[in-house]
């Protein structure tokens, strides 16, 4: 089956899950700040958790285009569910990038079977949006490593089976690298979780803080080489993370557009019987929203395709995608609130949830401002950091 047909089939599978499983539970998950266990189980049963596991290991072998496509589909019904799935996918991609035989057998094959959920643990309270500067310490301790530090905003926190934890390179690593990734299994002694996430938006993704105190893991849990800073950050972590977020926020923008379209296309003025959308200014503003969403979608999918093809300048396009998708999601959600009038302001309306979820785009590291700066520096052939 050609790649485009295969990806279309995966998107159809994701769309069925979004309609049948994600949508009916989205309001409850937002209200209760509840992790989407049913959706993650459905995605696992459909083989979608193995999206980035190589085919010889039983996975789908997809790249960034697959990630963007499915994140967008899920986010059109629930941004939290899309985030949980996407962060699992990014963690999987980081594991798969330089997986050893042990890591293939212990992590990637179970992920492909739908029996293992992983996720990223990069952000820290001290370094904030500078996710590439971890302060979590890793030290050699015989045939193990010892980890000490604090992580924040870990999506799937407390629900995943493993965590891709970023650390400073070990003191005996040599070289100039300052960034390593290591796998920490759920339940490892010394891994302690803070209270569940109850924020303004993205309330269903269990974005929790974690404390690592004397956490010991086998050396075989190290991903890649000691101090793999530049390679891991800008070749794997950043592209997959940024495109996961970009796809998610295109889906959020689409949800806002769909809600406004239904409202303007079904509500009628009682005095004339005409549709609200028949008002020229309202039709004009809806049309502008569509243009913004479609333009951003095409930008995101084009960047994913360029990165999957290995084009040398693809990173520049990728850097701008999360910023563009975040801007679009916030702007379109705000506009939809205006077009839908008082109906949109009732307690916990779907559109209110979409707006709260959209607003998270600008503060999730790397922030919109940082990404726009990086994009400009890349265009000028300057170091990003």
């Amino acid at each position: 089956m050609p790649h485009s047909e295969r990806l279309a089939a995966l998107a159809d599978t994701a769309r069925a899950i979004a309609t049948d499983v994600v949508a009916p539970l989205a309001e409850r998950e937002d209200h209760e700040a509840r992790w989407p266990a049913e959706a993650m189980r459905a995605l696992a049963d459909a083989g979608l958790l193995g999206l980035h596991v190589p085919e010889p290991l039983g996975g789908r072998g997809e790249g960034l285009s697959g990630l963007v496509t499915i994140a967008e589909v899920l986010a059109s019904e629930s941004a939290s569910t899309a985030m949980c799935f996407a962060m699992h996918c990014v963690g999987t991609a980081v594991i798969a990038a330089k997986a050893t035989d042990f890591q293939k057998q212990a992590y990637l094959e179970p992920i492909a079977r739908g029996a293992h959920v992983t996720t990223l643990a990069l952000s820290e309270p001290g370094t904030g949006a500078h996710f590439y500067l971890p302060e979590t310490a890793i030290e050699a301790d015989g045939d193990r490593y010892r980890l000490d530090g604090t992580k924040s905003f870990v999506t799937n926190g407390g629900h995943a089976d493993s965590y891709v934890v970023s650390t400073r390179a070990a003191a005996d690593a040599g070289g100039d690298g300052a960034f390593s990734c290591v796998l920490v299994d759920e339940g490892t002694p010394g891994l302690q979780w803070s209270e569940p996430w109850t924020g303004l938006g993205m309330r269903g993704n269990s974005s929790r803080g974690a404390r690592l105190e004397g956490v010991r893991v086998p050396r075989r849990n190290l991903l890649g080489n000691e101090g793999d800073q530049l390679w891991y950050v800008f070749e794997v972590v950043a592209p997959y993370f940024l495109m996961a977020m970009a796809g998610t926020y295109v889906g959020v923008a689409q949800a806002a557009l769909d809600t406004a379209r239904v409202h303007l296309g079904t509500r009628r003025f009682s005095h004339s019987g005409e549709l609200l959308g028949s008002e020229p200014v309202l039709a004009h503003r809806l049309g502008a929203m569509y243009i913004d969403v479609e333009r951003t979608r095409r930008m995101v999918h084009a960047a994913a395709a360029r990165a999957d093809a290995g084009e040398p300048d693809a990173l520049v396009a990728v850097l701008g995608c999360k910023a563009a998708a975040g801007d679009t999601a916030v702007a379109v959600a705000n506009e939809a609130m205006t077009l839908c009038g008082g109906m949109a302001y009732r307690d916990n309306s779907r559109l209110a949830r979409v707006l709260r979820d959209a607003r998270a785009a600008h503060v999730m590291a790397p922030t919109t401002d940082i990404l726009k700066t990086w994009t400009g520096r890349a265009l000028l052939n300057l170091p990003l950091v």
Side-chain angles (χ1 to χ4, degrees):
M1 180 185 296
H3 181 265
S4 58
E5 293 181 13
R6 185 177 65 190
L7 183 54
L10 292 177
D12 287 342
T13 299
R15 193 168 293 109
I17 293 172
T19 300
D20 298 339
V21 182
V22 177
L25 293 171
E27 183 177 347
R28 177 185 174 190
E29 287 162 356
D30 176 70
H31 180 69
E32 299 178 2
R34 179 176 177 270
W35 190 72
E38 294 86 352
M40 293 297 284
R41 183 70 261 161
L43 291 162
D45 291 343
L48 292 179
L49 293 190
L51 191 69
H52 300 311
V53 176
E55 291 183 273
L57 300 177
R60 300 289 188 172
E62 288 290 333
L64 292 173
S65 291
L67 177 58
V68 165
T69 297
I70 296 178
E72 178 185 339
V73 168
L74 296 175
S76 66
E77 296 296 349
S78 169
S80 289
T81 298
M83 183 72 67
C84 292
F85 171 77
M87 289 303 96
H88 161 82
C89 287
V90 180
T92 301
V94 176
I95 297 170
K98 290 186 176 182
T100 64
D101 288 341
F102 164 74
Q103 291 161 4
K104 292 175 183 177
Q105 181 178 16
Y107 295 93
L108 295 180
E109 290 180 0
I111 287 172
R113 294 196 303 269
H116 188 105
V117 174
T118 192
T119 197
L120 292 183
L122 303 186
S123 297
E124 297 186 357
T127 54
H130 304 283
F131 75 96
Y132 49 89
L133 297 173
E135 294 182 336
T136 296
I138 181 172
E139 294 184 4
D141 183 12
D143 62 349
R144 292 177 172 268
Y145 288 117
R146 172 182 170 136
L147 281 70
D148 291 278
T150 303
K151 293 295 178 180
S152 55
F153 303 116
V154 181
T155 297
N156 298 319
H159 295 279
D161 300 292
S162 65
Y163 302 89
V164 175
V165 178
S166 61
T167 73
R168 298 199 307 263
D172 63 352
D176 297 325
F179 184 98
S180 291
C181 287
V182 63
L183 282 160
V184 176
D185 294 326
E186 175 62 24
T188 299
L191 175 61
Q192 306 168 34
W193 292 104
S194 65
E195 291 300 312
W197 173 246
T198 54
L200 177 71
M202 290 291 185
R203 290 173 51 80
N205 67 352
S206 189
S207 183
R208 300 168 70 178
R211 177 69 187 166
L212 297 97
E213 294 185 353
V215 171
R216 287 176 169 82
V217 298
R219 286 204 178 208
R220 63 189 182 183
N221 282 27
L222 182 73
L223 297 173
N225 301 314
E226 288 276 16
D228 250 346
Q229 181 182 18
L230 292 178
W231 192 85
Y232 256 117
V233 172
F234 293 111
E235 296 296 327
V236 184
V237 176
Y240 275 87
F241 178 77
L242 294 176
M243 296 309 289
M245 296 300 92
T248 296
Y249 284 105
V250 169
V252 171
Q254 184 65 53
L257 173 61
D258 290 343
T259 303
R261 183 180 181 182
V262 169
H263 184 77
L264 296 182
T266 57
R267 298 279 294 181
R268 296 181 179 273
F269 292 108
S270 61
H271 62 281
S272 67
E274 293 184 345
L275 290 171
L276 269 63
S278 65
E279 287 287 331
V281 67
L282 298 183
H284 169 87
R285 292 172 74 167
L286 183 68
M289 291 165 63
Y290 168 83
I291 291 169
D292 286 346
V293 174
E294 191 63 20
R295 178 171 53 215
T296 304
R297 173 181 289 113
R298 290 179 181 273
M299 174 187 179
V300 170
H301 284 271
R306 290 169 65 182
D308 285 341
E311 294 186 13
D313 62 345
L315 182 59
V316 179
V318 167
L319 289 173
C321 282
K322 176 180 177 286
D327 281 344
T328 298
V330 172
V332 172
N334 272 320
E335 187 73 342
M337 290 290 284
T338 301
L339 294 185
C340 292
M343 294 292 293
Y345 282 84
R346 71 180 188 276
D347 185 37
N348 204 34
S349 71
R350 179 174 189 254
L351 194 50
R353 168 167 56 87
V354 168
L355 178 64
R356 288 187 281 105
D357 290 342
R359 193 59 187 80
H362 289 322
V363 299
M364 285 186 175
T367 63
T368 299
D369 285 334
I370 287 175
L371 287 171
K372 290 179 179 178
T373 300
W374 282 1
T375 302
R377 291 182 68 85
L379 290 171
L380 295 169
N381 295 316
L382 296 173
L384 297 187
V385 295

